[in-house]
Amino acid sequence: METPGFEEPAFEEFDPVSDCDCPGCVHWRRVLPHSRTGRHPAAHRAVVLAATATAAIAVTQAAPAFAAPHAPDRPHAPAADEPDTPQGDKAPLHGPGGRPAGITAPATTRAAIIKRAKSWVAAQVPYSMTEYWSDGYRQDCSGFVSMAWNLPGNEWTGSLDQYGVRIAKDDLQPGDILLFHNPVDPEKGSHVVIFGGWTDYTHTYYIAYEETRPRARKQATPYAYWSNSARYAAYRYKGLVAGAAGSDKPAEPLAVPFPGAAYFGPGANNKYVTQLGRMLVERGAGRFYASGPGPRWTDTDRRATRAFQQAQGWTGRDADGLPGPQTWTLLVTGKGNDIRTGAAGPPAPSSAAPSSHGVPGYPGRAMFRPGASNKYVTRLGEQLVKKGFGRFYTTGPGPRWGEADRRAVEAFQRAQGWRGGAADGYPGPETWRRLFK
């Protein structure tokens, strides 16, 4: 078993302040209806100009960059992962009353960038090119990056590159951005996202933080993006500063020490199980989870933990699927090896579970991944068509897994009321069961 001995700091999710019923917050919500969160006047910068932002922008601002059309604007068209993100032009904070004076932005750290991005995701900031959040930033893709990079004003995809330095794919680190601006026709696909880290060692998927319809989100995304992938460029913020030790670590990270072995294993039900699952997903264990991760310990958590431990080269009792101090420390600090593709994963193609109550046996997650080509993909697609999700297919369905399959599965999952990682477009056992029931 792992031996305890050291505890290291880690990142922790940022919980936004909820609505407050004090007289000051009630007043600000009345005069600033665009703000979704309470505001203590003494704790925030003045945002009086924000009250006029929505009305003024319709007159004085152009919308220079529009991304690919989205399903609500095209009846009967498939819901796409590419964003529907028309955005406002350059503007100072809190409204379009003037323009920023030059490219001078305060320094910041990677930890601070990700923390600010997470705050909008946690607050579920709705997408809008005409409204401003309580911090004064416009609620579109470029306003989101302007906020996370702590820029002095609201930029757009045509100007954000001035604040960054072009970098290669292999140099990407959390807090960098992936930017696509179409100078010939800005209405064709322009978009920008924040890079949150690779999901596994293959560097084919990464965690993206972005503002897109209907709200800010964080999800695993194929590199460089769902559409126009070859046209995205990576940039690093010019004002990035190192942490306390002269590295890119945060100067003041929030400590999340190992809570103890009692919090994990059969019967455990607590927030640390959820945190463990989320960290494992970001290290390549997403294929183990059909839904969640959640607070109740399951065999899924055990298999995902064991896969991570085996990725470190551990065997025997050191890879028993129960996290100890060393496993926890590697996860919270982002160190160690990511989970290898196929490691301790789903059953082999020949070991599909037997049929039960008329539902064909689920063949395993490995059958439904980019590059997969097998009879189960065809069977899945045919059943999706029967269930009314055939609009995503222009041909087929066929045996080769494609974007049409993923989008059809995602639409089916969303029809079940699932969101986030539970509606990622990749069928797990529960998706399979409901689809064929």
Side-chain angles (χ1 to χ4, degrees), residues 202-344:
T202 64
H203 290 188
T204 54
Y205 272 74
Y206 66 98
I207 298 299
Y209 295 89
E210 60 181 325
E211 181 67 52
T212 185
R213 295 180 193 243
R215 61 185 63 88
R217 70 181 184 182
K218 166 193 174 185
Q219 73 170 27
T221 303
Y223 181 84
Y225 202 68
W226 303 100
S227 60
N228 297 306
S229 179
R231 306 183 71 179
Y232 277 76
Y235 289 89
R236 176 163 298 154
Y237 179 47
K238 290 180 178 178
L240 192 68
V241 296
S247 66
D248 287 328
K249 295 180 180 179
E252 299 180 357
L254 298 174
V256 184
F258 179 60
Y263 285 86
F264 308 99
N269 188 346
N270 57 77
K271 66 179 182 180
Y272 297 108
V273 176
T274 302
Q275 184 176 357
L276 172 74
R278 289 174 177 171
M279 291 190 296
L280 287 166
V281 167
E282 294 197 8
R283 300 300 295 274
R287 64 184 181 277
F288 291 91
Y289 292 89
S291 61
R296 184 176 297 280
W297 178 270
T298 67
D299 188 60
T300 295
D301 299 295
R302 184 190 62 80
R303 292 191 299 117
T305 302
R306 183 173 61 186
F308 179 76
Q309 292 168 333
Q310 290 174 338
Q312 314 314 310
W314 303 344
T315 58
R317 297 180 65 186
D318 289 330
D320 58 2
L322 297 173
Q326 292 179 348
T327 298
W328 185 265
T329 298
L330 289 176
L331 287 170
V332 299
T333 59
K335 298 179 179 179
N337 301 321
D338 291 339
I339 296 173
R340 299 182 299 275
T341 302

Side-chain angles (χ1 to χ4, degrees), residues 344-356:
S350 60
S351 60
S355 299
S356 176

